[in-house]
Amino acid sequence: MSTNHNHQRVQQTHRGHGRCGVAVVRASGPASATALRCMAGLSRSLPPPRTALLRSITDSQSKEVLDRGLVFWFPAPHSFTGEDSVEFHIHGGPAVITAVLQALGSVPGMRPAEAGEFTRRAFQAGKLDLTEVEGLGDLIHAETEAQRRQALRQMSGELGHLYQDWTHKLKRCLAHVEAFIDFSEDELIEDGVLNQVDRWVCDLQAEMEQHLKDERRGERLRSGVQVVIAGATNAGKSSLLNTLCQRPAAIVSPIAGTTRDIVETALDIGGFPVLLSDTAGLRESQDLVEREGVRRARERVEQADLTLVVVDCAHLPSDAQQAAAFLQEHLRSVLPTQEQPETVFAADRFLLLLNKTDLLPEEQRQKLDRELRRVSGFPPVCLISCHTNEGLQDFLTVLHSSVKTLCGDPLSGAPTLTQARHRAHLQQCFAALAQYQRYRDIDLALAAEGVRLALTSLGRITGRVGAEEILDIIFKDFCIGK
């Protein structure tokens, strides 16, 4: 396709990939109207905005009919990009799509869009802020229902509106501080202005601190909950992985130490994304490869959001109380080294799975179940059999509840952080507000710089911040120079 290097005149085309019933080819920019007239056989007038019109799609040079489909006209600024835009809804065969794109390429100034360029132009036109852009990207890549809900909520602007509200408050704080610095000696500023700023800064810090205390729920939902299967060799870890993903993802063998490396698979657990990892059996070994596998397994447990500790019931003492003591010691051997003893059995980090219960007599199973329920401080315990599938449904219910707790409900409460980028900028913003408080009674210029840095950090999240707006607030609030 031809390329016009004048930014204002560059046109864009956009389409998805693959064979489909209907394909959408979109063009954006000043020459979109020309492309629509040439290819839809419209001599003069354009169709009404946002109204479907059935037309023959033709090559403007050869006049050959390429397809018959719907065309839509979106005049600026009422389009996704804020520019004049046109859409061709055509049949989705590769030959049809290629022919239409080649015909568009013959229109002067038209070129293929770069990856993400439509959304970039929407951002530059003020149609979306950066959080909405990221929400759109997350929506496109959402694989589970909870991810879709969170992405749609962010794309609708809820997170951006929260940050814009904080930005507005910070601008007002900065405007008042700078006005006090510049005009207080002329007695144009009322007493108590800085006290008001102090209250605003304290309120903002409290809101941001609460926002940051989200336990990474939004980020976890976006990227997937890291669930690790850990335990001794031949406990049935690989069998559990295969059962959950319903395919032979891992090799199952009666030979101890079969799994050496991490085996990962992505799952949808009740609408929540899970990255499930099978690991090497935890034991001492002289085999260098197996020792490396054990090291990786322990490292993965330390990084996990949730660990499924699998135990072979056949190795448990027959006495229920002794079995409970054995399991407590076993859990400590699986526990990450940096964990404190009092958090050994944190219910939000561990699930204890007693596998191969089909090998136990019914009476022994019941006694074991009662004893483990009686012992305080244990993580949730599930008795399962990967061989007979007994207890698996109850385990999936517990697993879903744990994953939901880790991710939270994407539709309830305030919008949550979804990107590490957001968290880093907010932490910088919070630290900059602390600078204001530190220098407020020492050097007001440095205190004002703290507010300015906070505003800049917050503006980097949404991509919107400007010095002109600070001046607007100064003159509006104080009528200076009237």
Side-chain angles (χ1 to χ4, degrees):
M1 290 186 183
S2 61
T3 302
N4 186 328
H5 294 286
N6 184 333
H7 180 76
Q8 297 299 319
R9 300 295 298 175
V10 169
Q11 311 303 303
Q12 306 172 66
T13 59
H14 173 75
R15 70 180 179 101
H17 297 282
R19 194 183 303 271
C20 54
V22 176
V24 177
V25 177
R26 176 192 292 169
S28 179
S32 297
T34 301
L36 180 59
R37 288 191 181 98
C38 292
M39 297 184 62
L42 302 172
S43 56
R44 293 184 180 179
S45 62
L46 293 167
R50 295 167 296 281
T51 301
L53 184 65
L54 180 63
R55 302 291 295 180
S56 293
I57 313 299
T58 61
D59 187 317
S60 60
Q61 293 185 339
S62 68
K63 306 305 179 184
E64 178 187 359
V65 176
L66 307 176
D67 194 18
R68 187 166 174 80
L70 299 176
V71 296
F72 291 83
W73 167 240
F74 301 93
H78 305 295
S79 68
F80 176 73
T81 61
E83 304 172 319
D84 286 347
S85 299
V86 60
E87 288 183 1
F88 298 89
H89 292 224
I90 58 178
H91 293 97
V96 176
I97 295 172
T98 299
V100 171
L101 288 176
Q102 287 177 344
L104 272 174
S106 67
V107 177
M110 199 74 73
R111 68 164 173 83
E114 297 175 2
E117 190 171 357
F118 273 76
T119 306
R120 177 185 287 272
R121 292 205 171 190
F123 167 70
Q124 291 170 339
K127 292 286 186 176
L128 302 171
D129 69 21
L130 285 183
T131 63
E132 293 167 333
V133 168
E134 289 166 330
L136 174 58
D138 289 347
L139 184 63
I140 292 171
H141 294 100
E143 295 182 348
T144 72
E145 188 67 10
Q147 285 178 319
R148 179 192 65 79
R149 289 171 178 164
Q150 176 171 273
L152 191 61
R153 187 178 184 186
Q154 182 170 328
M155 192 187 74
S156 69
E158 282 197 52
L159 192 63
H161 293 159
L162 174 65
Y163 296 153
Q164 283 297 330
D165 179 58
W166 290 350
T167 298
H168 176 73
K169 291 177 180 177
L170 281 175
K171 287 175 183 175
R172 176 149 295 189
C173 290
L174 182 57
H176 284 215
V177 174
E178 292 190 340
F180 187 88
I181 293 172
D182 294 338
F183 303 109
S184 60
E185 293 182 0
D186 300 328
E187 298 183 354
L188 295 172
I189 304 298
E190 298 177 359
D191 294 335
V193 166
L194 290 184
N195 293 334
Q196 179 64 57
V197 173
D198 293 344
R199 289 191 290 270
W200 287 341
V201 168
C202 286
D203 290 344
L204 277 170
Q205 281 186 309
E207 290 182 43
M208 290 181 187
E209 187 174 22
Q210 185 63 33
H211 188 57
L212 286 166
K213 289 181 178 178
D214 65 341
E215 299 178 344
R216 294 182 52 253
R217 286 191 293 270
E219 294 169 68
R220 192 178 287 120
L221 175 56
R222 178 176 179 269
S223 59
V225 180
Q226 298 285 338
V227 178
V228 173
I229 304 173
T233 56
N234 271 11
K237 300 185 300 298
S238 297
S239 296
L240 177 63
L241 176 80
N242 293 344
T243 300
L244 291 177
C245 66
Q246 298 181 341
R247 62 183 178 86
I251 298 173
V252 176
S253 166
I255 301 173
T258 301
T259 302
R260 301 292 183 93
D261 208 348
I262 308 295
V263 180
E264 294 181 338
T265 186
L267 296 178
D268 181 339
I269 303 295
F272 292 91
V274 166
L275 184 62
L276 186 65
S277 301
D278 181 24
T279 61
L282 302 178
R283 68 172 181 177
E284 297 296 328
S285 175
Q286 298 302 314
D287 186 296
L288 291 178
V289 176
E290 186 175 2
R291 284 167 62 183
E292 174 62 18
V294 171
R295 187 196 67 78
R296 294 186 182 188
R298 292 196 180 278
E299 181 180 64
R300 188 59 65 95
V301 170
E302 291 182 356
Q303 298 169 349
D305 297 312
L306 179 66
T307 301
L308 309 180
V309 182
V310 183
V311 178
D312 184 350
C313 283
H315 295 163
L316 293 177
S318 57
D319 180 77
Q321 290 184 345
Q322 292 179 1
F326 172 88
L327 290 171
Q328 285 180 319
E329 190 60 34
H330 182 70
L331 283 170
R332 289 189 177 92
S333 71
V334 177
L335 186 73
T337 55
Q338 75 270 23
E339 292 283 348
Q340 298 298 317
E342 59 267 26
T343 61
V344 167
F345 308 134
D348 60 341
R349 289 211 57 195
F350 292 89
L351 295 181
L352 179 59
L353 306 185
L354 305 186
N355 190 26
K356 306 182 184 180
T357 54
D358 55 300
L359 301 179
L360 294 182
E362 180 64 25
E363 183 180 356
Q364 185 178 345
R365 268 190 294 176
Q366 292 179 357
K367 286 182 179 180
L368 179 61
D369 188 32
R370 286 196 300 268
E371 179 64 24
L372 293 178
R373 293 179 187 277
R374 187 186 65 80
V375 177
S376 61
F378 250 53
V381 180
C382 298
L383 277 68
I384 66 169
S385 170
C386 292
H387 179 65
T388 65
N389 290 339
E390 183 181 0
L392 281 176
Q393 194 57 50
D394 292 339
F395 158 63
L396 286 173
T397 301
V398 174
L399 177 61
H400 174 257
S401 177
S402 298
V403 171
K404 185 176 181 180
T405 299
L406 288 167
C407 292
D409 184 349
L411 296 182
S412 67
T416 58
L417 293 159
T418 61
Q419 304 261 357
R421 180 183 80 82
H422 301 169
R423 187 176 301 278
H425 289 316
L426 279 177
Q427 289 170 339
Q428 293 169 3
C429 180
F430 190 85
L433 290 179
Q435 175 180 325
Y436 166 81
Q437 293 175 322
R438 187 164 59 252
Y439 289 104
R440 194 268 199 200
D441 296 323
I442 301 173
D443 187 328
L444 202 53
L446 286 177
E449 183 62 21
V451 180
R452 187 177 290 106
L453 289 173
L455 186 58
T456 300
S457 296
L458 198 57
R460 284 173 178 156
I461 300 179
T462 60
R464 296 175 182 172
V465 65
E468 189 65 30
E469 296 176 358
I470 307 298
L471 296 175
D472 290 343
I473 293 173
I474 290 176
F475 286 96
K476 184 182 71 173
D477 280 8
F478 300 106
C479 297
I480 295 170
K482 189 172 182 180

